[in-house]
Amino acid sequence: MARNFFTFPSVTLMTLLEILLVNTRYSQLAPSGLPRSQLFLVIAVANYVFLLLWTTRIYPVFFHPLRRFPAPKINMVSRIFTQLGSSLPPGQALLDMAERTPNDGVIVLQGHGECLLLTKPGVLGEVLVQHPYDFAKPSYARDFMRPVLADGLVIVEGERHQFLRKHVQTGFKLARIRALYPAMMAKAARLVEALGEGEVSSSTGSVVDVSVWAGKATFDTIMAAALGCDLDVLRRPHEPLLKLYAAVLQPSAAAFVHLGLLFLLPPDVVRLLPFDAGRSMREAGDKLRLVMTDLIRQRRAAILSSGSLGDDNDGRVDILSELIKDGFLSEDDMVDQLLTFMPAGYESTASTVSWIMYLLAVHPEWQDKLRAEIRGALPDFPPLSSEDEKPGYDGATLATVLERLPYLNGIVNETLRLYPSLPVTARVAARDTSIAGHAVEKGTEIVLSAWLVNRYTGVWGADACVFRPERWITPTTPESAKDGEKDDDEARFRDGTPNNTGGVAGNNYAHMTFLHGPRNCIGQGFARAELRCLTAALVAAFSWRLAMDPRRAVPVGVIASRPAHGMFLHLERVRR
Ligand code: HEM
């Protein structure tokens, strides 16, 4: 592969060496009277101007390994400069490029390593499903996340990934997720209670940052349903574990610098730098490891002492208990997986709850329709109280009811489509391979953007960016509609059935929020179940409207993107 030798680190090193050399021969080299500092400045400026020219004009045209790849090419460096200072949501710049550049599914991004941006189903299927192990996650991203996610599923590659995925999957089987509905609904009911007793207790309602509450609710849910541990952070917001995760996941300047350094330099060099921006993540990771190890030991001891090892019907439905009873993973493997579930699962779901509430605030007609649907399906809503030992519905019944509701599922799917929590992700060719029949060399970086594909008119049509939950509903046919409703479109959607295609039949890769293939989100069934419970509980209990400038309701962050300025809504209790 034609390597790009002139990169920021190599040119910086070159500049330092030149300065050192010139310094030792200063008296021979300096033109008369030019001060040392100015000479050094001239050298540095000359080197970086060369780097700019090399990166934007020389390397892409004459040496870039993808210069002959038959796809449109976009120079990223000039794009980055034109977009400096803009506050576009992550992924929007890629979407704009795809919309403006006629393409067959691949665009070559030049001036930033060797990058292929994939935009359409056929090529997405090749990378994600047909040859998934030809492509790995970039090492800088794995090095950045490893202190917190350990060697969990998100990080590992190849055969190790296949082994872990197979055994972790048992905890996420459909039947297991369905059994978790009562635990999830109990947390949703608890959220409603906590809001009703606190911030929304007055009869006229009040303004609430729902992104904060959504974070507490999803943290509590994943602790209870996945780890079988009831921390109740909705009642006890100062729980140290929540604080620890909130600190680790907060997008900070130090984390940004650390990621940038790992992108430019090998991790061992980054560790030697005098300012260690990754230290706080490593320290947090060490503390979390101790907490998770303790949790697993306690749970294993409880399962052993109750004699239920290998017993699927012992009443323990959480995912950790399932992994322990399954018996295939070592304690260390299990710790790694728990360390991964928490950050992978709670922020992403919390952010989706915020966007569901936002979209229902700016589309109040859908809020009303959904409320009527939930009340019709579950008249005694919430169907259980968090204090209630005996749920009103068992998991399977609750799951069946909620999974069949057309508006609820339409709204959840449409929000996941429009606001994917992971808007951009990347892969690197792990070996020489091909895409769309053209050679792709080992080391080529691939950019995948759910934000782009989910909103691309080339995939979804002209109304790609419009909130239309009815895409996800197959209406009753005029023949099967009830008497008097045959010409009533509204009624045919209300009585319709949820679909998984969003109306783009034959296109398996149109919805990219959870990705596809063996490296897709293993927790998507869990997340969907939780979103159904939280949305149903909130809309049954409250009505709301936006209480912030809509221009500030924008996502930020690439790993678990969230509302940049919170999500302020005016919430009011609704009468039954
Ligand atoms: C709305 C919520 C969620 C979204 C949008 C989401 C999205 C994603 C995406 C896009 C990936 C693939 C990342 C990549 O390969 O670049 C992923 C992987 C993963 N997610 Fe989720 N996720 C969500 C919730 C959850 C939950 C609730 C859990 C666990 C309880 C979870 C656990 C995982 C794990 C373990 C992986 C790694 C899978 C593998 O590589 O085999 N996620 N998620």
Side-chain angles (χ1 to χ4, degrees), residues 137 153-155 161 165 172 222 226 319 337 340-341 344-346 348-349 352 416 420-422 425-427 512-515 518-524 526-527 530-531:
K137 303 212 173 136
L153 273 181
V154 170
I155 301 289
H161 177 265
R165 177 91 189 195
F172 289 90
I222 200 160
I319 292 169
Q337 305 322 311
T340 291
F341 294 165
Y346 104 88
S348 47
T349 320
T352 310
L416 286 165
S421 307
L422 188 69
T425 186
R427 297 286 187 267
M512 287 278 289
T513 298
F514 294 107
L515 293 189
R519 299 224 59 158
N520 73 351
C521 174
I522 203 168
Q524 68 168 298
F526 185 104
E530 187 180 355
L531 290 169

Side-chain angles (χ1 to χ4, degrees), residues 377-405:
L378 299 169
D380 301 323
F381 202 86
L384 65 163
S385 126
S386 58
E387 307 298 335
D388 205 343
E389 286 291 301
K390 284 182 78 103
Y393 288 79
D394 64 50
T397 314
L398 200 51
T400 307
V401 173
L402 294 182
E403 284 168 9
R404 281 192 189 151
L405 295 179

Side-chain angles (χ1 to χ4, degrees), residues 59-296:
Y59 183 67
V61 177
F62 299 105
F63 301 101
H64 199 297
L66 293 171
R67 66 191 183 283
R68 295 204 185 92
F69 197 97
K73 300 183 173 60
I74 293 182
N75 192 309
M76 284 297 282
V77 177
S78 50
R79 295 281 163 146
I80 288 167
F81 282 119
T82 55
Q83 270 154 18
L84 277 182
S86 77
S87 56
L88 291 177
Q92 183 61 39
L94 299 175
L95 174 61
D96 292 344
M97 283 180 210
E99 292 289 9
R100 284 196 215 116
T101 316
N103 68 87
D104 290 330
V106 184
I107 296 175
V108 179
L109 304 181
Q110 295 181 319
H112 170 261
E114 296 80 36
C115 245
L116 293 177
L117 172 66
L118 307 190
T119 64
K120 288 191 184 165
V123 285
L124 291 166
E126 279 187 48
V127 170
L128 295 173
V129 179
Q130 289 158 26
H131 315 289
Y133 292 104
D134 279 4
F135 302 93
K137 303 212 173 136
S139 57
Y140 64 86
R142 287 190 286 139
D143 291 334
F144 176 69
M145 295 186 290
R146 185 173 266 126
V148 178
L149 301 188
D151 281 332
L153 273 181
V154 170
I155 301 289
V156 293
E157 294 290 346
E159 284 179 12
R160 183 79 186 128
H161 177 265
Q162 282 171 295
F163 168 82
L164 287 174
R165 177 91 189 195
K166 183 172 157 207
H167 293 296
V168 175
Q169 192 82 52
T170 56
F172 289 90
K173 282 183 299 206
L174 200 62
R176 177 123 329 256
I177 300 297
R178 295 184 127 219
L180 292 174
Y181 268 85
M184 291 180 176
M185 189 54 92
K187 287 298 172 192
R190 178 64 201 129
L191 169 65
V192 166
E193 277 172 23
L195 279 167
E197 286 161 11
E199 294 193 52
V200 197
S201 52
S202 94
S203 58
T204 52
S206 51
V207 173
V208 175
D209 180 356
V210 294
S211 67
V212 173
W213 284 95
K216 290 185 209 168
T218 57
F219 187 87
D220 241 1
T221 307
I222 200 160
M223 283 304 292
L227 277 63
C229 176
D230 195 358
L231 284 187
D232 203 3
V233 300
L234 283 159
R235 279 202 185 89
R236 295 189 282 129
H238 301 296
E239 165 63 43
L241 197 58
L242 176 66
K243 288 194 163 174
L244 196 55
Y245 269 115
V248 172
L249 298 177
Q250 192 68 30
S252 67
F256 202 68
V257 169
H258 185 51
L259 181 62
L261 288 171
L262 286 169
F263 183 69
L264 295 171
L265 303 167
D268 291 340
V269 176
V270 174
R271 273 171 188 255
L272 294 178
L273 295 176
F275 50 98
D276 183 357
R279 188 188 306 136
S280 61
M281 278 179 85
R282 282 199 302 280
E283 286 171 358
D286 291 345
K287 284 187 199 157
L288 291 168
R289 194 160 196 98
L290 291 178
V291 174
M292 297 304 173
T293 308
D294 207 34
L295 188 66
I296 293 171

Side-chain angles (χ1 to χ4, degrees), residues 393-450:
Y393 288 79
D394 64 50
T397 314
L398 200 51
T400 307
V401 173
L402 294 182
E403 284 168 9
R404 281 192 189 151
L405 295 179
Y407 291 160
L408 178 64
N409 288 283
I411 288 164
V412 167
N413 267 329
E414 188 67 343
T415 309
L416 286 165
R417 180 181 77 86
L418 288 172
Y419 290 95
S421 307
L422 188 69
V424 183
T425 186
R427 297 286 187 267
V428 172
R431 53 183 71 94
D432 289 347
T433 178
S434 69
I435 292 179
H438 304 291
V440 169
E441 290 183 38
K442 182 178 173 183
T444 304
E445 199 161 326
I446 315 290
V447 179
L448 304 164
S449 169

